Amino acid sequence: MNDVRTIVILTGAGISAESGLATFRGPGGLWEGHRVEDVCTPEALARDPALVHRFYDLRRAALREVAPNAAHLALARLDADWAGELLIVTQNVDDLHERAGASRLLHMHGELTSALCAGCEARVRWPDPLPPGAACASCGAPALRPDIVFFGEMPYEMERIERALAGCDLFVSIGTSGAVYPAAGFVQLANHYGARTLELNLEPSGGSGWFDESRMGAASVLVPAWVEEILR
Ligand code: OAD
């Protein structure tokens, strides 16, 4: 891969699984114990804010019990050592990439450690439990909600992501089932613009057929091996 200069990486819940955070789909997944419509839609927030806030409070608290694993650390090493352009786009709302040291990073589905004002759209750091009706420091409205992109809402920074996909030589997808758009369509977009595409996942995903190459296994093994290979 000597000709690679510009890399876009997409990560999903599978990269944090070995740190002890549940993925969404499959046995024991978050969406097995909860109906998406109850905790991850604007309608759910309007209907039962206490339930939605409690769901994300528990997940925010769980971050304190976990640490980045070898896959997060390998991507942070790539971020530090890669001389070309790099963008890590994560669907994850945990903070394990940044705690590992990655900085060329964006959270397209929001962040557990941040709150969003439903009134003025200000985003503020929020490490603690978030009670419904907490006031926004910018506009004063009692409208702070979890800074999570709910189903039916537009993910963050789509223009920047699409620009990066259009200009990259290599697109790598790690630990995602390819079940949720627009992220699930990034491989097709990257293909369309002529990038090589590589998937690193525990098992074949919804998007596997689109990748030039798919490697199956645990992220903590596959990601450090691939980073070693690309930096060589
Ligand atoms: P999923 O739970 O849908 O998929 C996780 C993927 O990771 C599956 O394909 C697993 O096989 C794989 N996996 C599990 N353990 C792994 C390991 N140790 N190493 C490598 N791969 C592993 O999670 P996402 O694809 O991230 O959105 O889900 C996408 C979006 O759906 C989430 O961002 C969330 C959810 O609804 C919102 O909340 C807005």
Side-chain angles (χ1 to χ4, degrees):
M1 293 196 228
N2 286 339
D3 49 345
V4 174
R5 291 280 308 153
T6 301
I7 306 174
V8 175
I9 297 171
L10 173 70
T11 68
I15 198 169
S16 297
E18 290 165 86
S19 292
L21 294 176
T23 59
F24 292 93
R25 296 168 182 82
L30 280 170
W31 291 161
E32 198 182 54
H34 293 86
R35 285 166 18 110
V36 177
E37 313 86 75
D38 288 340
V39 295
C40 198
T41 61
E43 294 76 19
L45 185 65
R47 192 172 54 237
D48 193 346
L51 174 70
V52 173
H53 280 244
R54 194 164 58 244
F55 177 75
Y56 292 103
D57 281 351
L58 286 172
R59 296 187 56 208
R60 189 179 307 106
L63 296 182
R64 302 202 174 144
E65 313 297 320
V66 300
N69 66 53
H72 300 103
L73 293 168
L75 290 189
R77 178 180 163 222
L78 181 69
D79 188 349
D81 292 354
W82 183 252
E85 290 202 31
L86 171 75
L87 180 63
I88 302 169
V89 179
T90 188
Q91 297 169 89
N92 298 343
V93 294
D94 67 54
D95 58 356
L96 294 178
H97 280 302
E98 46 271 55
R99 278 162 60 191
S103 60
R104 292 189 265 180
L105 170 74
L106 72 81
H107 284 270
M108 66 178 288
H109 287 167
E111 295 175 66
L112 282 169
T113 52
S114 161
L116 169 71
C117 177
C120 73
E121 299 188 354
R123 302 175 75 190
V124 287
R125 299 302 299 163
W126 201 278
D128 305 312
L130 176 64
C136 171
S138 296
C139 72
L144 287 185
R145 53 162 270 189
D147 188 9
I148 303 293
V149 174
F150 291 147
F151 282 91
E153 296 179 329
M154 180 65 90
Y156 287 116
E157 305 219 46
M158 283 307 299
E159 274 181 30
R160 183 174 162 208
I161 295 170
E162 282 169 17
R163 247 192 342 266
L165 286 167
C168 75
D169 309 310
L170 176 64
F171 171 71
V172 185
S173 168
I174 302 170
T176 175
S177 61
V180 175
Y181 281 82
F186 290 174
V187 60
Q188 293 162 50
L189 214 51
N191 261 331
H192 173 78
Y193 285 109
R196 267 179 46 77
T197 54
L198 168 67
E199 174 182 44
L200 308 176
N201 205 49
L202 195 57
E203 60 197 356
S205 72
S208 288
W210 289 98
F211 289 89
D212 294 318
E213 183 186 352
S214 290
R215 300 180 189 173
M216 299 295 122
S220 66
V221 176
L222 293 184
V223 179
W226 170 71
V227 167
E228 195 64 46
E229 194 180 306
I230 193 93
L231 285 177
R232 203 176 292 142

